[in-house]
Amino acid sequence: MLEPSKNELLTQVGRGTPMGELLRRYWMPIAAVSEFDDESVKPVRLMGEDLTLYKDLRGTFGLVDRHCPHRSADMSYGFVEPCGLRCNYHGWLFDHDGRCIEQPYEDVAQPEARFRDKIRIKAYPVQAHAGLLWAYLGPQPAPLVPNWEPFTWKNGFVQIVFADVPCNWLQCQENSVDPLHFEWMHMNWSVRLAEKSGPYSPRHLKLAFDEFDYGIVYRRIREGMSEEDPLWKVGRVCLWPNALFTGDHFEWRVPIDDQNTLSVTWCFSRVPKNREPYVQQRIPSWRGPVRDAETGRWISSHVMNQDFVAWIGQGIVTDRTREHLGTSDAGIIMMRQRFLKDIEAIARGADPKATIRDPEINQCVTLPIADRKRLVEGMASEEMARNPLGAGRLATDYIFQAGQPREVRQAYAEAMGLGE
Ligand code: FES
Ligand SMILES: [Fe+2]
């Protein structure tokens, strides 16, 4: 149970709030590079700030205020130039750093006044990496965009998947350090959803949570598992500050504002050995629905949709004064305590946990991965079909989220050599 003031402290993400300032010390994935194949300007909302993300004609990405500093027109209806974004109302043009570089009328009527030199639009750095667009809203100097180990892997088909989840980010992230829900929410409930009764899946017998440089590792023993199992020896990762990492995919819970979260998944599927060398030309991205249009209920057919049901069900900002934490929640307590300590750390002027500034380390940031060998070295198709993990990955259906577009499914099937 948490006192109301702590709940507010940990959940509020606006500028000037302690948690909002802490989260601004990290690069946040906010969109996919491939979204800009057909469009060049897009409105985004991040940590309560309304912004405009764009790709200019030279291919450089920028992130500026949603409103023009002249008379507040909506910059997401602006248009791009070789350098920067131009407001569609009176044509003021802004570069990536937020400098006003043209005011078409003022530049002619009163060039000597150089009015434009006095004008700036709010602008934040944005970087493309691993098919994602990352934004940094914190103080300079910014840390590096983390080059997590899977971003360096070869011979994989990657897809990026979004969902708009109408609740606060922290309850989503608490799910990243909650191994127990796997047994009930994903295993037992899925069986009941398929209208089958039958035995429950193996129970969790033992859980362990350990903090490391880039997050918290959680480990589990279920009935029938030995202590040699990679899920006990290596475990899975609650990745700092707002993601889950399971080995083949990342799930970020990006705060849109206090009441909404953007779920961003980066999913790597290793192609079978017999399909190598495989070089992906374009990383596709798509947005899946959260609500069933016919029934109005939340979708429950896929793994992450089930998670969304839990998170949204907890309330828009869950009331932690009413919770009763058990021993299974030790990781959640660990996470909250670390956030509270890091709020103090940044107030002292120190870097918070898991900010990376050393380019040497950032060549490839390794993480605990239970089945690295399968993901890096790959397996032949037949071997994959026999392997309990590999078989799931060979299915044409995307198991994590509902709504995968047909063309992405086709590209995946082609990469994996399915249906030949
Ligand atoms: S409002 Fe943007 S140029 Fe006038
Ligand atoms: Fe889950």
Side-chain angles (χ1 to χ4, degrees), residues 131-156:
L132 289 163
L133 292 172
W134 303 76
Y136 179 78
L137 272 56
Q140 292 295 334
L144 300 167
V145 178
N147 194 22
W148 304 119
E149 175 181 355
F151 297 165
T152 69
W153 289 345
K154 307 248 180 305
N155 292 303

PDB file of all heavy atoms in Angstrom, residues 131-156:
ATOM      1  N   GLY A 131      15.136   1.280 -36.319  1.00  0.00           N
ATOM      2  CA  GLY A 131      13.803   1.424 -36.929  1.00  0.00           C
ATOM      3  C   GLY A 131      12.865   2.275 -36.103  1.00  0.00           C
ATOM      4  O   GLY A 131      11.740   2.531 -36.507  1.00  0.00           O
ATOM      5  N   LEU A 132      13.330   2.715 -34.926  1.00  0.00           N
ATOM      6  CA  LEU A 132      12.505   3.542 -34.039  1.00  0.00           C
ATOM      7  C   LEU A 132      12.981   4.986 -34.083  1.00  0.00           C
ATOM      8  O   LEU A 132      14.162   5.253 -34.350  1.00  0.00           O
ATOM      9  CB  LEU A 132      12.621   3.036 -32.594  1.00  0.00           C
ATOM     10  CG  LEU A 132      11.943   1.703 -32.279  1.00  0.00           C
ATOM     11  CD1 LEU A 132      12.468   1.132 -30.962  1.00  0.00           C
ATOM     12  CD2 LEU A 132      10.423   1.864 -32.219  1.00  0.00           C
ATOM     13  N   LEU A 133      12.071   5.897 -33.754  1.00  0.00           N
ATOM     14  CA  LEU A 133      12.448   7.304 -33.559  1.00  0.00           C
ATOM     15  C   LEU A 133      12.415   7.585 -32.065  1.00  0.00           C
ATOM     16  O   LEU A 133      11.402   7.330 -31.400  1.00  0.00           O
ATOM     17  CB  LEU A 133      11.490   8.225 -34.307  1.00  0.00           C
ATOM     18  CG  LEU A 133      11.607   8.110 -35.826  1.00  0.00           C
ATOM     19  CD1 LEU A 133      10.501   8.893 -36.513  1.00  0.00           C
ATOM     20  CD2 LEU A 133      12.980   8.590 -36.302  1.00  0.00           C
ATOM     21  N   TRP A 134      13.532   8.079 -31.554  1.00  0.00           N
ATOM     22  CA  TRP A 134      13.702   8.298 -30.120  1.00  0.00           C
ATOM     23  C   TRP A 134      13.752   9.794 -29.844  1.00  0.00           C
ATOM     24  O   TRP A 134      14.454  10.532 -30.543  1.00  0.00           O
ATOM     25  CB  TRP A 134      15.025   7.675 -29.656  1.00  0.00           C
ATOM     26  CG  TRP A 134      15.154   6.209 -29.942  1.00  0.00           C
ATOM     27  CD1 TRP A 134      15.428   5.628 -31.145  1.00  0.00           C
ATOM     28  CD2 TRP A 134      15.007   5.124 -29.015  1.00  0.00           C
ATOM     29  NE1 TRP A 134      15.472   4.257 -31.020  1.00  0.00           N
ATOM     30  CE2 TRP A 134      15.217   3.924 -29.716  1.00  0.00           C
ATOM     31  CE3 TRP A 134      14.727   5.064 -27.637  1.00  0.00           C
ATOM     32  CZ2 TRP A 134      15.154   2.669 -29.099  1.00  0.00           C
ATOM     33  CZ3 TRP A 134      14.663   3.820 -27.027  1.00  0.00           C
ATOM     34  CH2 TRP A 134      14.875   2.645 -27.761  1.00  0.00           C
ATOM     35  N   ALA A 135      13.052  10.202 -28.801  1.00  0.00           N
ATOM     36  CA  ALA A 135      13.030  11.624 -28.440  1.00  0.00           C
ATOM     37  C   ALA A 135      13.635  11.793 -27.049  1.00  0.00           C
ATOM     38  O   ALA A 135      13.496  10.926 -26.192  1.00  0.00           O
ATOM     39  CB  ALA A 135      11.601  12.133 -28.437  1.00  0.00           C
ATOM     40  N   TYR A 136      14.285  12.943 -26.861  1.00  0.00           N
ATOM     41  CA  TYR A 136      14.879  13.252 -25.555  1.00  0.00           C
ATOM     42  C   TYR A 136      14.392  14.625 -25.117  1.00  0.00           C
ATOM     43  O   TYR A 136      14.633  15.622 -25.797  1.00  0.00           O
ATOM     44  CB  TYR A 136      16.408  13.217 -25.653  1.00  0.00           C
ATOM     45  CG  TYR A 136      17.077  13.551 -24.338  1.00  0.00           C
ATOM     46  CD1 TYR A 136      17.160  12.610 -23.323  1.00  0.00           C
ATOM     47  CD2 TYR A 136      17.599  14.819 -24.099  1.00  0.00           C
ATOM     48  CE1 TYR A 136      17.748  12.916 -22.099  1.00  0.00           C
ATOM     49  CE2 TYR A 136      18.198  15.135 -22.886  1.00  0.00           C
ATOM     50  CZ  TYR A 136      18.263  14.175 -21.895  1.00  0.00           C
ATOM     51  OH  TYR A 136      18.838  14.475 -20.683  1.00  0.00           O
ATOM     52  N   LEU A 137      13.712  14.651 -23.974  1.00  0.00           N
ATOM     53  CA  LEU A 137      13.090  15.896 -23.499  1.00  0.00           C
ATOM     54  C   LEU A 137      13.800  16.465 -22.274  1.00  0.00           C
ATOM     55  O   LEU A 137      13.275  17.345 -21.601  1.00  0.00           O
ATOM     56  CB  LEU A 137      11.605  15.644 -23.149  1.00  0.00           C
ATOM     57  CG  LEU A 137      10.576  15.799 -24.284  1.00  0.00           C
ATOM     58  CD1 LEU A 137      10.901  14.916 -25.463  1.00  0.00           C
ATOM     59  CD2 LEU A 137       9.165  15.525 -23.785  1.00  0.00           C
ATOM     60  N   GLY A 138      14.984  15.935 -21.968  1.00  0.00           N
ATOM     61  CA  GLY A 138      15.647  16.336 -20.730  1.00  0.00           C
ATOM     62  C   GLY A 138      16.750  17.348 -20.951  1.00  0.00           C
ATOM     63  O   GLY A 138      16.965  17.843 -22.054  1.00  0.00           O
ATOM     64  N   PRO A 139      17.472  17.638 -19.871  1.00  0.00           N
ATOM     65  CA  PRO A 139      18.554  18.623 -19.960  1.00  0.00           C
ATOM     66  C   PRO A 139      19.748  18.077 -20.749  1.00  0.00           C
ATOM     67  O   PRO A 139      19.972  16.874 -20.796  1.00  0.00           O
ATOM     68  CB  PRO A 139      18.940  18.855 -18.492  1.00  0.00           C
ATOM     69  CG  PRO A 139      18.496  17.618 -17.770  1.00  0.00           C
ATOM     70  CD  PRO A 139      17.316  17.081 -18.518  1.00  0.00           C
ATOM     71  N   GLN A 140      20.501  18.990 -21.333  1.00  0.00           N
ATOM     72  CA  GLN A 140      21.738  18.620 -22.039  1.00  0.00           C
ATOM     73  C   GLN A 140      22.887  18.564 -21.034  1.00  0.00           C
ATOM     74  O   GLN A 140      22.817  19.252 -20.017  1.00  0.00           O
ATOM     75  CB  GLN A 140      22.021  19.643 -23.130  1.00  0.00           C
ATOM     76  CG  GLN A 140      21.026  19.616 -24.264  1.00  0.00           C
ATOM     77  CD  GLN A 140      21.053  18.324 -25.071  1.00  0.00           C
ATOM     78  OE1 GLN A 140      22.064  17.642 -25.131  1.00  0.00           O
ATOM     79  NE2 GLN A 140      19.934  17.967 -25.648  1.00  0.00           N
ATOM     80  N   PRO A 141      23.922  17.790 -21.232  1.00  0.00           N
ATOM     81  CA  PRO A 141      24.104  16.919 -22.395  1.00  0.00           C
ATOM     82  C   PRO A 141      23.270  15.639 -22.281  1.00  0.00           C
ATOM     83  O   PRO A 141      23.214  15.036 -21.207  1.00  0.00           O
ATOM     84  CB  PRO A 141      25.603  16.591 -22.333  1.00  0.00           C
ATOM     85  CG  PRO A 141      25.963  16.711 -20.887  1.00  0.00           C
ATOM     86  CD  PRO A 141      25.066  17.757 -20.308  1.00  0.00           C
ATOM     87  N   ALA A 142      22.643  15.273 -23.395  1.00  0.00           N
ATOM     88  CA  ALA A 142      21.812  14.067 -23.406  1.00  0.00           C
ATOM     89  C   ALA A 142      22.693  12.832 -23.317  1.00  0.00           C
ATOM     90  O   ALA A 142      23.817  12.831 -23.836  1.00  0.00           O
ATOM     91  CB  ALA A 142      21.006  14.029 -24.701  1.00  0.00           C
ATOM     92  N   PRO A 143      22.219  11.770 -22.682  1.00  0.00           N
ATOM     93  CA  PRO A 143      22.959  10.505 -22.750  1.00  0.00           C
ATOM     94  C   PRO A 143      22.850   9.926 -24.163  1.00  0.00           C
ATOM     95  O   PRO A 143      22.246  10.548 -25.040  1.00  0.00           O
ATOM     96  CB  PRO A 143      22.234   9.624 -21.722  1.00  0.00           C
ATOM     97  CG  PRO A 143      20.854  10.182 -21.629  1.00  0.00           C
ATOM     98  CD  PRO A 143      20.959  11.650 -21.948  1.00  0.00           C
ATOM     99  N   LEU A 144      23.413   8.743 -24.379  1.00  0.00           N
ATOM    100  CA  LEU A 144      23.336   8.104 -25.703  1.00  0.00           C
ATOM    101  C   LEU A 144      22.026   7.327 -25.831  1.00  0.00           C
ATOM    102  O   LEU A 144      21.483   6.850 -24.828  1.00  0.00           O
ATOM    103  CB  LEU A 144      24.525   7.152 -25.874  1.00  0.00           C
ATOM    104  CG  LEU A 144      25.896   7.832 -25.773  1.00  0.00           C
ATOM    105  CD1 LEU A 144      27.012   6.796 -25.639  1.00  0.00           C
ATOM    106  CD2 LEU A 144      26.127   8.727 -26.987  1.00  0.00           C
ATOM    107  N   VAL A 145      21.546   7.204 -27.063  1.00  0.00           N
ATOM    108  CA  VAL A 145      20.414   6.297 -27.306  1.00  0.00           C
ATOM    109  C   VAL A 145      20.953   4.882 -27.100  1.00  0.00           C
ATOM    110  O   VAL A 145      21.917   4.494 -27.768  1.00  0.00           O
ATOM    111  CB  VAL A 145      19.883   6.430 -28.755  1.00  0.00           C
ATOM    112  CG1 VAL A 145      18.749   5.444 -29.003  1.00  0.00           C
ATOM    113  CG2 VAL A 145      19.423   7.853 -29.028  1.00  0.00           C
ATOM    114  N   PRO A 146      20.403   4.119 -26.182  1.00  0.00           N
ATOM    115  CA  PRO A 146      20.995   2.811 -25.879  1.00  0.00           C
ATOM    116  C   PRO A 146      21.032   1.885 -27.097  1.00  0.00           C
ATOM    117  O   PRO A 146      20.034   1.732 -27.792  1.00  0.00           O
ATOM    118  CB  PRO A 146      20.066   2.225 -24.806  1.00  0.00           C
ATOM    119  CG  PRO A 146      19.358   3.385 -24.217  1.00  0.00           C
ATOM    120  CD  PRO A 146      19.228   4.390 -25.330  1.00  0.00           C
ATOM    121  N   ASN A 147      22.200   1.317 -27.315  1.00  0.00           N
ATOM    122  CA  ASN A 147      22.322   0.339 -28.395  1.00  0.00           C
ATOM    123  C   ASN A 147      22.218  -1.055 -27.777  1.00  0.00           C
ATOM    124  O   ASN A 147      23.211  -1.749 -27.599  1.00  0.00           O
ATOM    125  CB  ASN A 147      23.655   0.523 -29.123  1.00  0.00           C
ATOM    126  CG  ASN A 147      23.683  -0.225 -30.441  1.00  0.00           C
ATOM    127  OD1 ASN A 147      22.636  -0.538 -31.009  1.00  0.00           O
ATOM    128  ND2 ASN A 147      24.872  -0.542 -30.910  1.00  0.00           N
ATOM    129  N   TRP A 148      20.989  -1.434 -27.429  1.00  0.00           N
ATOM    130  CA  TRP A 148      20.776  -2.732 -26.797  1.00  0.00           C
ATOM    131  C   TRP A 148      21.220  -3.847 -27.740  1.00  0.00           C
ATOM    132  O   TRP A 148      21.026  -3.752 -28.962  1.00  0.00           O
ATOM    133  CB  TRP A 148      19.308  -2.920 -26.411  1.00  0.00           C
ATOM    134  CG  TRP A 148      18.741  -1.859 -25.515  1.00  0.00           C
ATOM    135  CD1 TRP A 148      17.694  -1.031 -25.796  1.00  0.00           C
ATOM    136  CD2 TRP A 148      19.185  -1.491 -24.189  1.00  0.00           C
ATOM    137  NE1 TRP A 148      17.451  -0.185 -24.734  1.00  0.00           N
ATOM    138  CE2 TRP A 148      18.349  -0.449 -23.732  1.00  0.00           C
ATOM    139  CE3 TRP A 148      20.197  -1.942 -23.336  1.00  0.00           C
ATOM    140  CZ2 TRP A 148      18.492   0.154 -22.479  1.00  0.00           C
ATOM    141  CZ3 TRP A 148      20.343  -1.344 -22.096  1.00  0.00           C
ATOM    142  CH2 TRP A 148      19.498  -0.319 -21.674  1.00  0.00           C
ATOM    143  N   GLU A 149      21.743  -4.884 -27.147  1.00  0.00           N
ATOM    144  CA  GLU A 149      22.318  -6.004 -27.908  1.00  0.00           C
ATOM    145  C   GLU A 149      21.451  -6.477 -29.094  1.00  0.00           C
ATOM    146  O   GLU A 149      21.977  -6.636 -30.205  1.00  0.00           O
ATOM    147  CB  GLU A 149      22.574  -7.137 -26.896  1.00  0.00           C
ATOM    148  CG  GLU A 149      23.042  -8.420 -27.474  1.00  0.00           C
ATOM    149  CD  GLU A 149      23.250  -9.479 -26.383  1.00  0.00           C
ATOM    150  OE1 GLU A 149      23.110  -9.170 -25.179  1.00  0.00           O
ATOM    151  OE2 GLU A 149      23.556 -10.619 -26.761  1.00  0.00           O
ATOM    152  N   PRO A 150      20.153  -6.708 -28.920  1.00  0.00           N
ATOM    153  CA  PRO A 150      19.376  -7.203 -30.074  1.00  0.00           C
ATOM    154  C   PRO A 150      19.359  -6.252 -31.273  1.00  0.00           C
ATOM    155  O   PRO A 150      19.140  -6.697 -32.401  1.00  0.00           O
ATOM    156  CB  PRO A 150      17.962  -7.381 -29.496  1.00  0.00           C
ATOM    157  CG  PRO A 150      18.186  -7.593 -28.037  1.00  0.00           C
ATOM    158  CD  PRO A 150      19.343  -6.704 -27.683  1.00  0.00           C
ATOM    159  N   PHE A 151      19.612  -4.958 -31.037  1.00  0.00           N
ATOM    160  CA  PHE A 151      19.653  -4.023 -32.173  1.00  0.00           C
ATOM    161  C   PHE A 151      20.839  -4.326 -33.091  1.00  0.00           C
ATOM    162  O   PHE A 151      20.890  -3.814 -34.209  1.00  0.00           O
ATOM    163  CB  PHE A 151      19.740  -2.568 -31.696  1.00  0.00           C
ATOM    164  CG  PHE A 151      18.555  -2.082 -30.881  1.00  0.00           C
ATOM    165  CD1 PHE A 151      18.645  -0.915 -30.130  1.00  0.00           C
ATOM    166  CD2 PHE A 151      17.357  -2.772 -30.879  1.00  0.00           C
ATOM    167  CE1 PHE A 151      17.561  -0.457 -29.389  1.00  0.00           C
ATOM    168  CE2 PHE A 151      16.256  -2.322 -30.129  1.00  0.00           C
ATOM    169  CZ  PHE A 151      16.373  -1.153 -29.386  1.00  0.00           C
ATOM    170  N   THR A 152      21.803  -5.093 -32.605  1.00  0.00           N
ATOM    171  CA  THR A 152      22.997  -5.395 -33.405  1.00  0.00           C
ATOM    172  C   THR A 152      22.887  -6.759 -34.089  1.00  0.00           C
ATOM    173  O   THR A 152      23.776  -7.143 -34.832  1.00  0.00           O
ATOM    174  CB  THR A 152      24.262  -5.406 -32.519  1.00  0.00           C
ATOM    175  OG1 THR A 152      24.211  -6.546 -31.643  1.00  0.00           O
ATOM    176  CG2 THR A 152      24.385  -4.145 -31.685  1.00  0.00           C
ATOM    177  N   TRP A 153      21.838  -7.513 -33.796  1.00  0.00           N
ATOM    178  CA  TRP A 153      21.725  -8.866 -34.342  1.00  0.00           C
ATOM    179  C   TRP A 153      21.437  -8.854 -35.837  1.00  0.00           C
ATOM    180  O   TRP A 153      20.792  -7.962 -36.363  1.00  0.00           O
ATOM    181  CB  TRP A 153      20.620  -9.646 -33.624  1.00  0.00           C
ATOM    182  CG  TRP A 153      20.975 -10.028 -32.215  1.00  0.00           C
ATOM    183  CD1 TRP A 153      22.219 -10.021 -31.639  1.00  0.00           C
ATOM    184  CD2 TRP A 153      20.065 -10.460 -31.195  1.00  0.00           C
ATOM    185  NE1 TRP A 153      22.131 -10.434 -30.327  1.00  0.00           N
ATOM    186  CE2 TRP A 153      20.837 -10.705 -30.031  1.00  0.00           C
ATOM    187  CE3 TRP A 153      18.691 -10.667 -31.145  1.00  0.00           C
ATOM    188  CZ2 TRP A 153      20.255 -11.153 -28.838  1.00  0.00           C
ATOM    189  CZ3 TRP A 153      18.124 -11.109 -29.965  1.00  0.00           C
ATOM    190  CH2 TRP A 153      18.901 -11.349 -28.829  1.00  0.00           C
ATOM    191  N   LYS A 154      21.888  -9.924 -36.465  1.00  0.00           N
ATOM    192  CA  LYS A 154      21.680 -10.071 -37.912  1.00  0.00           C
ATOM    193  C   LYS A 154      20.634 -11.162 -38.171  1.00  0.00           C
ATOM    194  O   LYS A 154      20.245 -11.875 -37.268  1.00  0.00           O
ATOM    195  CB  LYS A 154      22.995 -10.495 -38.578  1.00  0.00           C
ATOM    196  CG  LYS A 154      24.177  -9.612 -38.249  1.00  0.00           C
ATOM    197  CD  LYS A 154      24.606  -8.846 -39.483  1.00  0.00           C
ATOM    198  CE  LYS A 154      25.788  -7.932 -39.246  1.00  0.00           C
ATOM    199  NZ  LYS A 154      25.641  -6.976 -38.161  1.00  0.00           N
ATOM    200  N   ASN A 155      20.230 -11.267 -39.433  1.00  0.00           N
ATOM    201  CA  ASN A 155      19.345 -12.350 -39.865  1.00  0.00           C
ATOM    202  C   ASN A 155      18.025 -12.410 -39.099  1.00  0.00           C
ATOM    203  O   ASN A 155      17.543 -13.492 -38.744  1.00  0.00           O
ATOM    204  CB  ASN A 155      20.069 -13.707 -39.763  1.00  0.00           C
ATOM    205  CG  ASN A 155      21.185 -13.813 -40.774  1.00  0.00           C
ATOM    206  OD1 ASN A 155      20.950 -13.682 -41.977  1.00  0.00           O
ATOM    207  ND2 ASN A 155      22.400 -14.024 -40.292  1.00  0.00           N
ATOM    208  N   GLY A 156      17.454 -11.251 -38.857  1.00  0.00           N
ATOM    209  CA  GLY A 156      16.161 -11.236 -38.168  1.00  0.00           C
ATOM    210  C   GLY A 156      15.147 -10.406 -38.926  1.00  0.00           C
ATOM    211  O   GLY A 156      15.491  -9.468 -39.653  1.00  0.00           O
TER     212      GLY A 156
END
